[in-house]
């Protein structure tokens, strides 16, 4: 069966997350339903990451196995036609090797979290940013983030329902930037790792917000990390601002 890699973008708000769930709308379910319109017996698809309810993606990667030998561009066009009007789009499609696996072949996942700090609520960006009404100390957040880089036991920043076999993960990069916008500031948190624990990114961002607000000192991040206890974590941020922006592989499947 020919295998195809798909690069997918979606608005996570109408879905219960990526993973297919009985009687609930999911991104996986939407794409599998579109595939079934093309080939009724197509197997289920696999993705690089299982995003949670309300989390978005501009660079999710999945693979599917088809019976027919499709032209990749025609497959992309057909899927986008059958995905309407749902907020899911296939940005790229490419023929993949038989041993390519969207999840197990991945070397890294990249996430960006957007936080809007201004008095007025968002209008055009509503649902795509975490809105707060106070400004943050960027330097303090960057100092706190430095304590999380590298390989650690991230139990503190792990959801209780996380199914990962180990809480030990390597956070390769955590960069925070700020840019002025009309009447406020937007902060962007860019995180990169081979894999993440359930709610790890949102737990980290929520805790760093407390550092930026002055409620925590930067070194409190190390204390919380060393505690290896979920109780030591700061508040978990909402899903609105979180987006899976890319997945890295040994060779670029869409080159």
């Amino acid at each position: 069966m020919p295998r195809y890699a798909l690069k997918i973008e979606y608005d996570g708000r109408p879905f219960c997350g990526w993973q297919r769930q009985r009687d609930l709308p999911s991104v996986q379910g939407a794409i599998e339903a579109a595939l079934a319109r093309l080939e009724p017996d197509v197997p289920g698809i696999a993705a690089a990451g299982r995003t949670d309810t309300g989390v978005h993606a501009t660079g999710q990667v999945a693979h599917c196995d088809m019976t027919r030998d499709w032209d990749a561009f025609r497959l992309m066009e057909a899927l986008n036609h059958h995905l309407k009007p749902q907020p899911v789009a296939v940005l790229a499609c490419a023929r993949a090797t038989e041993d390519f696996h969207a999840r197990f072949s991945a070397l890294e996942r990249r996430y960006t979290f957007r936080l809007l700090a201004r008095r007025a609520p968002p209008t055009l960006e509503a649902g795509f940013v975490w809105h707060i009404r106070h400004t943050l100390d960027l330097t303090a957040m960057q100092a706190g983030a430095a304590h999380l880089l590298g390989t650690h036991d991230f139990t503190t920043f792990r959801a209780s329902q996380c199914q990962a076999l180990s809480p030990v993960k390597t956070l390769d990069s955590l960069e925070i930037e700020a840019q002025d916008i009309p009447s406020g500031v937007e902060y962007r948190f860019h995180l990169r790792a081979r894999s993440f624990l359930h709610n790890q990114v949102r737990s980290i961002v929520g805790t760093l917000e407390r550092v930026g607000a002055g409620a925590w000192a930067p070194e409190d991040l190390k204390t919380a990390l060393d505690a290896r206890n979920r109780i030591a974590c700061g508040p978990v941020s909402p899903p609105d601002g979180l987006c899976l922006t890319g997945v890295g592989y040994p060779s670029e499947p869409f080159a």
Side-chain angles (χ1 to χ4, degrees):
M1 301 180 74
R3 177 161 292 187
Y4 296 86
L6 309 173
K7 181 182 287 187
I8 304 162
E9 174 183 277
Y10 51 85
D11 174 354
R13 290 177 295 175
F15 302 105
C16 64
W18 166 269
Q19 190 170 9
R20 182 195 324 108
Q21 296 188 42
R22 185 177 181 180
D23 300 326
L24 291 174
S26 68
V27 182
Q28 181 182 11
I31 298 172
E32 289 179 345
L35 284 166
R37 300 286 298 274
L38 306 178
E39 294 185 11
D41 298 324
V42 67
I45 62 176
R50 298 175 178 176
T51 53
D52 291 334
T53 300
V55 176
H56 316 294
T58 57
Q60 173 72 282
V61 176
H63 76 259
C64 61
D65 294 325
M66 308 295 287
T67 301
R68 289 174 49 192
D69 190 359
W70 286 80
D71 173 78
F73 178 78
R74 289 185 58 122
L75 179 57
M76 178 185 72
E77 292 284 279
L79 284 174
N80 284 332
H81 173 76
H82 290 298
L83 281 165
K84 296 176 183 177
Q86 300 180 93
V88 183
V90 178
L91 302 179
C93 176
R95 182 73 176 264
T97 58
E98 292 182 0
D99 61 348
F100 173 82
H101 194 287
R103 178 184 176 191
F104 298 121
S105 299
L107 299 179
E108 67 174 24
R109 280 84 173 167
R110 300 182 294 275
Y111 284 89
T112 292
F113 193 103
R114 299 173 60 198
L115 190 156
L116 175 66
R118 74 179 190 188
R119 298 292 296 179
T123 54
L124 300 179
E125 299 290 350
F128 296 95
V129 294
W130 176 18
H131 175 233
I132 62 174
R133 303 181 70 186
H134 51 275
T135 57
L136 301 173
D137 186 331
L138 177 63
T139 301
M141 291 193 293
Q142 291 170 332
H147 294 294
L148 304 179
L149 294 174
T151 304
H152 305 283
D153 181 329
F154 280 96
T155 295
T156 298
F157 301 95
R158 177 189 194 185
S160 58
Q161 65 269 37
C162 180
Q163 298 178 358
L165 297 178
S166 170
V168 177
K169 295 291 179 183
T170 300
L171 186 59
D172 295 310
S173 177
L174 202 179
E175 299 178 355
I176 311 172
E177 59 179 346
Q179 67 178 70
D180 292 333
I181 59 169
S183 302
V185 180
E186 181 178 316
Y187 301 89
R188 294 195 177 191
F189 302 75
H190 305 285
L191 299 92
R192 178 171 56 85
R194 186 180 187 101
S195 61
F196 291 88
L197 299 167
H198 188 189
N199 274 0
Q200 183 180 354
V201 175
R202 290 170 55 196
S203 297
I204 288 173
V205 172
T207 303
L208 285 172
E209 186 276 334
R210 292 289 79 203
V211 173
W216 286 42
E219 55 270 22
D220 289 341
L221 263 292
K222 184 177 187 326
T223 302
L225 181 68
D226 292 342
R228 301 178 183 178
N229 189 326
R230 184 64 175 168
I231 297 175
C233 185
V236 179
S237 68
D240 304 41
L242 184 56
C243 184
L244 173 59
T245 56
V247 185
Y249 294 95
S251 58
E252 172 55 48
F254 307 102

